[in-house]
Short mmCIF file of all heavy atoms in Angstrom, two decimals:
data_model
loop_
_atom_site.label_atom_id
_atom_site.label_comp_id
_atom_site.label_asym_id
_atom_site.label_seq_id
_atom_site.Cartn_x
_atom_site.Cartn_y
_atom_site.Cartn_z
N MET A 18 83.41 130.26 85.88
CA MET A 18 84.21 131.08 86.79
C MET A 18 83.87 130.78 88.25
O MET A 18 84.70 130.78 89.12
CB MET A 18 83.99 132.55 86.46
CG MET A 18 84.60 133.51 87.48
SD MET A 18 84.26 135.22 87.05
CE MET A 18 85.46 135.46 85.74
N THR A 19 82.61 130.48 88.43
CA THR A 19 82.20 130.19 89.81
C THR A 19 82.20 128.70 90.09
O THR A 19 81.74 128.27 91.11
CB THR A 19 80.78 130.75 90.07
OG1 THR A 19 79.91 130.27 89.08
CG2 THR A 19 80.80 132.27 90.06
N ASP A 20 82.73 127.93 89.13
CA ASP A 20 82.76 126.49 89.34
C ASP A 20 83.92 126.05 90.23
O ASP A 20 83.97 124.91 90.64
CB ASP A 20 82.87 125.76 88.00
CG ASP A 20 81.55 125.78 87.25
OD1 ASP A 20 80.53 126.08 87.89
OD2 ASP A 20 81.56 125.50 86.06
N GLU A 21 84.86 126.92 90.45
CA GLU A 21 86.00 126.53 91.26
C GLU A 21 85.56 126.18 92.68
O GLU A 21 84.60 126.74 93.21
CB GLU A 21 87.04 127.66 91.30
CG GLU A 21 87.86 127.74 90.03
CD GLU A 21 88.56 126.41 89.73
OE1 GLU A 21 89.20 125.87 90.64
OE2 GLU A 21 88.44 125.93 88.59
N ILE A 22 86.28 125.29 93.24
CA ILE A 22 85.95 124.83 94.58
C ILE A 22 86.30 125.93 95.59
O ILE A 22 87.35 126.51 95.54
CB ILE A 22 86.77 123.57 94.91
CG1 ILE A 22 86.53 122.50 93.85
CG2 ILE A 22 86.38 123.07 96.30
CD1 ILE A 22 85.08 122.23 93.56
N SER A 23 85.38 126.15 96.46
CA SER A 23 85.65 127.10 97.54
C SER A 23 85.10 126.55 98.83
O SER A 23 84.25 125.65 98.84
CB SER A 23 85.03 128.46 97.22
OG SER A 23 83.63 128.32 97.10
N ALA A 24 85.55 127.06 99.88
CA ALA A 24 85.10 126.58 101.19
C ALA A 24 83.59 126.75 101.30
O ALA A 24 83.03 127.77 100.95
CB ALA A 24 85.80 127.36 102.29
N GLY A 25 82.97 125.69 101.76
CA GLY A 25 81.53 125.76 101.95
C GLY A 25 80.74 125.33 100.75
O GLY A 25 79.53 125.16 100.84
N HIS A 26 81.40 125.14 99.60
CA HIS A 26 80.66 124.71 98.42
C HIS A 26 80.23 123.27 98.57
O HIS A 26 81.00 122.42 98.98
CB HIS A 26 81.55 124.86 97.18
CG HIS A 26 80.88 124.35 95.96
ND1 HIS A 26 79.85 125.01 95.32
CD2 HIS A 26 81.08 123.22 95.23
CE1 HIS A 26 79.47 124.32 94.27
NE2 HIS A 26 80.19 123.22 94.18
N ARG A 27 78.99 123.00 98.20
CA ARG A 27 78.49 121.63 98.25
C ARG A 27 78.20 121.17 96.82
O ARG A 27 77.37 121.77 96.14
CB ARG A 27 77.18 121.57 99.04
CG ARG A 27 77.31 122.15 100.42
CD ARG A 27 77.73 121.08 101.42
NE ARG A 27 77.82 121.67 102.73
CZ ARG A 27 78.90 121.59 103.51
NH1 ARG A 27 79.96 120.98 103.08
NH2 ARG A 27 78.90 122.13 104.68
N PRO A 28 78.85 120.12 96.38
CA PRO A 28 78.56 119.62 95.03
C PRO A 28 77.15 119.07 94.93
O PRO A 28 76.58 118.64 95.93
CB PRO A 28 79.60 118.53 94.83
CG PRO A 28 79.98 118.09 96.21
CD PRO A 28 79.86 119.33 97.07
N ALA A 29 76.61 119.10 93.75
CA ALA A 29 75.25 118.62 93.55
C ALA A 29 75.23 117.11 93.42
O ALA A 29 76.10 116.51 92.82
CB ALA A 29 74.64 119.27 92.31
N CYS A 30 74.19 116.52 93.93
CA CYS A 30 73.98 115.08 93.80
C CYS A 30 73.72 114.75 92.33
O CYS A 30 72.88 115.39 91.70
CB CYS A 30 72.79 114.68 94.65
SG CYS A 30 72.27 112.97 94.43
N PRO A 31 74.43 113.76 91.76
CA PRO A 31 74.21 113.39 90.35
C PRO A 31 72.86 112.72 90.14
O PRO A 31 72.40 112.59 89.01
CB PRO A 31 75.36 112.45 90.05
CG PRO A 31 75.73 111.86 91.36
CD PRO A 31 75.47 112.95 92.39
N SER A 32 72.25 112.30 91.20
CA SER A 32 70.99 111.58 91.09
C SER A 32 69.79 112.52 91.12
O SER A 32 68.88 112.41 90.31
CB SER A 32 70.89 110.57 92.22
OG SER A 32 69.73 109.79 92.09
N CYS A 33 69.79 113.46 92.05
CA CYS A 33 68.62 114.30 92.22
C CYS A 33 68.93 115.79 92.02
O CYS A 33 68.03 116.60 91.93
CB CYS A 33 67.99 114.07 93.58
SG CYS A 33 68.98 114.70 94.94
N GLY A 34 70.21 116.13 91.98
CA GLY A 34 70.58 117.52 91.71
C GLY A 34 70.60 118.43 92.92
O GLY A 34 70.97 119.60 92.80
N ARG A 35 70.22 117.92 94.06
CA ARG A 35 70.26 118.74 95.26
C ARG A 35 71.70 118.91 95.74
O ARG A 35 72.54 118.01 95.52
CB ARG A 35 69.45 118.09 96.38
CG ARG A 35 67.98 118.41 96.28
CD ARG A 35 67.23 117.83 97.45
NE ARG A 35 66.98 116.40 97.21
CZ ARG A 35 65.90 115.76 97.64
NH1 ARG A 35 65.00 116.38 98.34
NH2 ARG A 35 65.74 114.49 97.40
N ALA A 36 71.93 119.98 96.42
CA ALA A 36 73.24 120.13 97.05
C ALA A 36 73.38 119.08 98.13
O ALA A 36 72.42 118.77 98.82
CB ALA A 36 73.37 121.52 97.64
N THR A 37 74.57 118.51 98.23
CA THR A 37 74.77 117.45 99.20
C THR A 37 74.77 117.99 100.62
O THR A 37 75.04 119.16 100.85
CB THR A 37 76.09 116.71 98.94
OG1 THR A 37 77.14 117.67 98.91
CG2 THR A 37 76.03 115.99 97.61
N ALA A 38 74.52 117.10 101.52
CA ALA A 38 74.47 117.46 102.93
C ALA A 38 75.89 117.64 103.47
O ALA A 38 76.87 117.38 102.77
CB ALA A 38 73.74 116.38 103.72
N VAL A 39 75.96 118.03 104.68
CA VAL A 39 77.25 118.14 105.35
C VAL A 39 77.91 116.76 105.36
O VAL A 39 77.26 115.78 105.70
CB VAL A 39 77.07 118.64 106.78
CG1 VAL A 39 78.41 118.65 107.52
CG2 VAL A 39 76.45 120.03 106.77
N PRO A 40 79.16 116.66 104.94
CA PRO A 40 79.81 115.36 104.91
C PRO A 40 79.81 114.66 106.26
O PRO A 40 80.00 115.28 107.30
CB PRO A 40 81.24 115.70 104.48
CG PRO A 40 81.13 116.99 103.76
CD PRO A 40 80.02 117.72 104.45
N ALA A 41 79.59 113.35 106.21
CA ALA A 41 79.56 112.57 107.44
C ALA A 41 80.97 112.26 107.91
O ALA A 41 81.22 112.10 109.10
CB ALA A 41 78.79 111.27 107.21
N SER A 42 81.89 112.18 106.96
CA SER A 42 83.27 111.91 107.32
C SER A 42 84.17 112.43 106.22
O SER A 42 83.74 112.64 105.09
CB SER A 42 83.50 110.41 107.53
OG SER A 42 83.34 109.72 106.32
N ALA A 43 85.42 112.61 106.55
CA ALA A 43 86.37 113.13 105.56
C ALA A 43 87.74 112.55 105.80
O ALA A 43 88.13 112.28 106.94
CB ALA A 43 86.41 114.64 105.61
N HIS A 44 88.45 112.33 104.71
CA HIS A 44 89.82 111.81 104.80
C HIS A 44 90.71 112.71 103.96
O HIS A 44 90.33 113.10 102.86
CB HIS A 44 89.89 110.39 104.24
CG HIS A 44 88.94 109.46 104.92
ND1 HIS A 44 89.22 108.83 106.11
CD2 HIS A 44 87.69 109.08 104.58
CE1 HIS A 44 88.17 108.08 106.47
NE2 HIS A 44 87.23 108.22 105.54
N TYR A 45 91.86 113.00 104.47
CA TYR A 45 92.77 113.88 103.74
C TYR A 45 93.80 113.05 103.03
O TYR A 45 94.54 112.29 103.64
CB TYR A 45 93.42 114.86 104.73
CG TYR A 45 92.38 115.70 105.42
CD1 TYR A 45 91.89 115.33 106.67
CD2 TYR A 45 91.85 116.82 104.79
CE1 TYR A 45 90.89 116.08 107.29
CE2 TYR A 45 90.86 117.57 105.42
CZ TYR A 45 90.38 117.19 106.66
OH TYR A 45 89.40 117.92 107.27
N THR A 46 93.83 113.17 101.72
CA THR A 46 94.76 112.40 100.91
C THR A 46 95.62 113.34 100.08
O THR A 46 95.38 114.55 100.04
CB THR A 46 94.01 111.46 99.95
OG1 THR A 46 93.44 112.23 98.88
CG2 THR A 46 92.90 110.70 100.65
N SER A 47 96.60 112.76 99.39
CA SER A 47 97.49 113.57 98.57
C SER A 47 96.74 114.19 97.39
O SER A 47 97.19 115.15 96.78
CB SER A 47 98.65 112.73 98.05
OG SER A 47 98.16 111.64 97.30
N GLU A 48 95.59 113.64 97.07
CA GLU A 48 94.81 114.16 95.94
C GLU A 48 93.77 115.16 96.38
O GLU A 48 93.08 115.75 95.55
CB GLU A 48 94.11 113.01 95.22
CG GLU A 48 95.09 112.07 94.54
CD GLU A 48 94.37 111.02 93.73
OE1 GLU A 48 93.56 111.39 92.86
OE2 GLU A 48 94.60 109.83 93.98
N GLY A 49 93.63 115.33 97.67
CA GLY A 49 92.64 116.27 98.17
C GLY A 49 91.82 115.61 99.25
O GLY A 49 92.11 114.51 99.70
N THR A 50 90.80 116.30 99.66
CA THR A 50 89.95 115.78 100.73
C THR A 50 88.87 114.89 100.14
O THR A 50 88.10 115.33 99.29
CB THR A 50 89.29 116.94 101.49
OG1 THR A 50 90.32 117.78 102.00
CG2 THR A 50 88.46 116.41 102.64
N VAL A 51 88.83 113.65 100.59
CA VAL A 51 87.77 112.76 100.20
C VAL A 51 86.74 112.74 101.32
O VAL A 51 87.08 112.52 102.47
CB VAL A 51 88.29 111.32 99.98
CG1 VAL A 51 87.14 110.38 99.60
CG2 VAL A 51 89.36 111.31 98.89
N SER A 52 85.51 113.02 100.96
CA SER A 52 84.48 113.01 102.00
C SER A 52 83.27 112.22 101.52
O SER A 52 83.07 111.99 100.32
CB SER A 52 84.09 114.43 102.38
OG SER A 52 83.60 115.15 101.27
N TYR A 53 82.47 111.85 102.49
CA TYR A 53 81.27 111.06 102.21
C TYR A 53 80.09 111.81 102.79
O TYR A 53 80.12 112.22 103.94
CB TYR A 53 81.39 109.68 102.86
CG TYR A 53 82.58 108.93 102.36
CD1 TYR A 53 83.83 109.09 102.96
CD2 TYR A 53 82.48 108.08 101.26
CE1 TYR A 53 84.95 108.42 102.49
CE2 TYR A 53 83.59 107.42 100.78
CZ TYR A 53 84.81 107.57 101.39
OH TYR A 53 85.92 106.92 100.93
N ALA A 54 79.10 111.98 101.96
CA ALA A 54 77.92 112.71 102.41
C ALA A 54 76.66 111.97 101.96
O ALA A 54 76.62 111.43 100.85
CB ALA A 54 77.91 114.13 101.84
N ARG A 55 75.68 111.98 102.79
CA ARG A 55 74.44 111.34 102.41
C ARG A 55 73.46 112.38 101.91
O ARG A 55 73.12 113.32 102.61
CB ARG A 55 73.84 110.59 103.60
CG ARG A 55 72.66 109.74 103.13
CD ARG A 55 72.17 108.82 104.20
NE ARG A 55 71.21 107.88 103.63
CZ ARG A 55 70.46 107.05 104.33
NH1 ARG A 55 70.58 107.02 105.63
NH2 ARG A 55 69.63 106.25 103.75
N CYS A 56 72.99 112.16 100.69
CA CYS A 56 72.02 113.08 100.11
C CYS A 56 70.64 112.82 100.69
O CYS A 56 70.35 111.74 101.19
CB CYS A 56 72.00 112.89 98.59
SG CYS A 56 70.89 114.02 97.77
N GLU A 57 69.80 113.82 100.54
CA GLU A 57 68.42 113.67 101.01
C GLU A 57 67.68 112.57 100.26
O GLU A 57 66.70 112.03 100.73
CB GLU A 57 67.65 114.98 100.84
CG GLU A 57 68.10 116.05 101.83
CD GLU A 57 67.32 117.33 101.61
OE1 GLU A 57 66.09 117.26 101.50
OE2 GLU A 57 67.95 118.40 101.54
N CYS A 58 68.15 112.27 99.05
CA CYS A 58 67.49 111.22 98.26
C CYS A 58 67.93 109.83 98.70
O CYS A 58 67.42 108.83 98.21
CB CYS A 58 67.75 111.41 96.76
SG CYS A 58 69.44 111.04 96.23
N GLY A 59 68.88 109.78 99.62
CA GLY A 59 69.27 108.50 100.19
C GLY A 59 70.59 107.94 99.68
O GLY A 59 71.07 106.93 100.16
N ARG A 60 71.18 108.60 98.70
CA ARG A 60 72.44 108.10 98.16
C ARG A 60 73.61 108.62 98.96
O ARG A 60 73.62 109.75 99.43
CB ARG A 60 72.61 108.54 96.71
CG ARG A 60 71.52 108.03 95.82
CD ARG A 60 71.90 108.26 94.38
NE ARG A 60 72.58 107.08 93.86
CZ ARG A 60 73.05 107.00 92.60
NH1 ARG A 60 72.93 108.01 91.77
NH2 ARG A 60 73.65 105.93 92.19
N TRP A 61 74.62 107.78 99.08
CA TRP A 61 75.88 108.21 99.65
C TRP A 61 76.76 108.70 98.52
O TRP A 61 76.96 108.00 97.54
CB TRP A 61 76.57 107.06 100.37
CG TRP A 61 76.02 106.81 101.72
CD1 TRP A 61 75.11 105.85 102.07
CD2 TRP A 61 76.33 107.53 102.93
NE1 TRP A 61 74.84 105.96 103.41
CE2 TRP A 61 75.57 106.96 103.96
CE3 TRP A 61 77.19 108.61 103.21
CZ2 TRP A 61 75.64 107.43 105.27
CZ3 TRP A 61 77.24 109.07 104.52
CH2 TRP A 61 76.47 108.49 105.54
N LEU A 62 77.27 109.89 98.66
CA LEU A 62 78.10 110.48 97.63
C LEU A 62 79.55 110.53 98.09
O LEU A 62 79.83 110.87 99.23
CB LEU A 62 77.62 111.89 97.30
CG LEU A 62 76.15 112.00 96.91
CD1 LEU A 62 75.79 113.45 96.66
CD2 LEU A 62 75.83 111.15 95.72
N ILE A 63 80.43 110.17 97.19
CA ILE A 63 81.85 110.25 97.47
C ILE A 63 82.38 111.51 96.78
O ILE A 63 82.23 111.66 95.58
CB ILE A 63 82.59 109.00 96.93
CG1 ILE A 63 81.93 107.74 97.49
CG2 ILE A 63 84.07 109.07 97.29
CD1 ILE A 63 82.33 106.48 96.73
N VAL A 64 82.93 112.38 97.57
CA VAL A 64 83.35 113.69 97.05
C VAL A 64 84.84 113.84 97.23
O VAL A 64 85.37 113.67 98.32
CB VAL A 64 82.61 114.81 97.81
CG1 VAL A 64 83.01 116.18 97.26
CG2 VAL A 64 81.10 114.63 97.73
N LEU A 65 85.51 114.14 96.12
CA LEU A 65 86.95 114.38 96.16
C LEU A 65 87.21 115.82 95.75
O LEU A 65 86.84 116.23 94.65
CB LEU A 65 87.68 113.43 95.21
CG LEU A 65 89.16 113.72 95.01
CD1 LEU A 65 89.93 113.60 96.32
CD2 LEU A 65 89.75 112.78 93.97
N ALA A 66 87.82 116.55 96.64
CA ALA A 66 88.15 117.94 96.37
C ALA A 66 86.97 118.72 95.84
O ALA A 66 87.09 119.52 94.91
CB ALA A 66 89.35 118.00 95.41
N GLY A 67 85.80 118.46 96.41
CA GLY A 67 84.63 119.24 96.05
C GLY A 67 83.87 118.74 94.84
O GLY A 67 82.88 119.33 94.44
N ARG A 68 84.31 117.61 94.27
CA ARG A 68 83.61 117.05 93.12
C ARG A 68 83.10 115.67 93.46
O ARG A 68 83.80 114.88 94.06
CB ARG A 68 84.54 116.93 91.92
CG ARG A 68 85.00 118.28 91.41
CD ARG A 68 86.04 118.09 90.30
NE ARG A 68 86.63 119.36 89.95
CZ ARG A 68 86.09 120.26 89.12
NH1 ARG A 68 84.94 119.99 88.57
NH2 ARG A 68 86.68 121.40 88.88
N VAL A 69 81.89 115.38 93.02
CA VAL A 69 81.33 114.05 93.24
C VAL A 69 82.01 113.07 92.31
O VAL A 69 81.97 113.22 91.09
CB VAL A 69 79.82 114.05 93.01
CG1 VAL A 69 79.26 112.64 93.18
CG2 VAL A 69 79.12 115.00 93.99
N ILE A 70 82.67 112.06 92.87
CA ILE A 70 83.37 111.08 92.03
C ILE A 70 82.68 109.72 92.08
O ILE A 70 83.07 108.82 91.37
CB ILE A 70 84.85 110.94 92.44
CG1 ILE A 70 84.96 110.48 93.89
CG2 ILE A 70 85.60 112.25 92.20
CD1 ILE A 70 86.40 110.07 94.26
N GLY A 71 81.69 109.62 92.93
CA GLY A 71 81.00 108.33 92.98
C GLY A 71 79.78 108.43 93.87
O GLY A 71 79.63 109.37 94.65
N ALA A 72 78.88 107.47 93.70
CA ALA A 72 77.67 107.47 94.51
C ALA A 72 77.23 106.02 94.70
O ALA A 72 77.34 105.22 93.78
CB ALA A 72 76.58 108.28 93.85
N ASP A 73 76.75 105.75 95.86
CA ASP A 73 76.24 104.43 96.15
C ASP A 73 74.73 104.52 96.36
O ASP A 73 74.23 105.48 96.91
CB ASP A 73 76.85 103.89 97.43
CG ASP A 73 78.21 103.29 97.19
OD1 ASP A 73 78.50 102.93 96.04
OD2 ASP A 73 78.99 103.22 98.14
N ALA A 74 74.05 103.48 95.92
CA ALA A 74 72.62 103.40 96.24
C ALA A 74 72.50 103.21 97.74
O ALA A 74 73.37 102.63 98.37
CB ALA A 74 71.99 102.25 95.48
N ALA A 75 71.42 103.67 98.28
CA ALA A 75 71.24 103.57 99.74
C ALA A 75 71.13 102.10 100.14
O ALA A 75 70.59 101.31 99.39
CB ALA A 75 69.98 104.32 100.16
ZN1 ZN B 8 70.38 113.11 95.80
#
């Protein structure tokens, strides 16, 4: 019930489980907002509409 995306929600990093940092950039697409955030563990996370859809090694 609380899994729905809401303003201010930060998805968890799939690597370390921490909440992601404030996104460094965001793009608005027809599928939702795609943003990129760097986790404290060093990975860049790709977030679409509040869900992590990908991650890059640092
Ligand atoms: Zn992490």
Side-chain angles (χ1 to χ4, degrees):
M18 171 181 282
T19 54
D20 285 344
E21 283 304 310
I22 305 309
S23 61
H26 176 73
R27 305 271 181 233
C30 172
S32 185
C33 70
R35 276 183 280 213
T37 55
V39 175
S42 65
H44 304 278
Y45 300 95
T46 74
S47 59
E48 294 185 56
T50 303
V51 179
S52 59
Y53 301 86
R55 189 171 190 189
C56 182
E57 288 180 47
C58 72
R60 299 192 92 180
W61 280 99
L62 305 178
I63 306 164
V64 182
L65 171 62
R68 294 175 189 278
V69 177
I70 60 169
D73 279 337

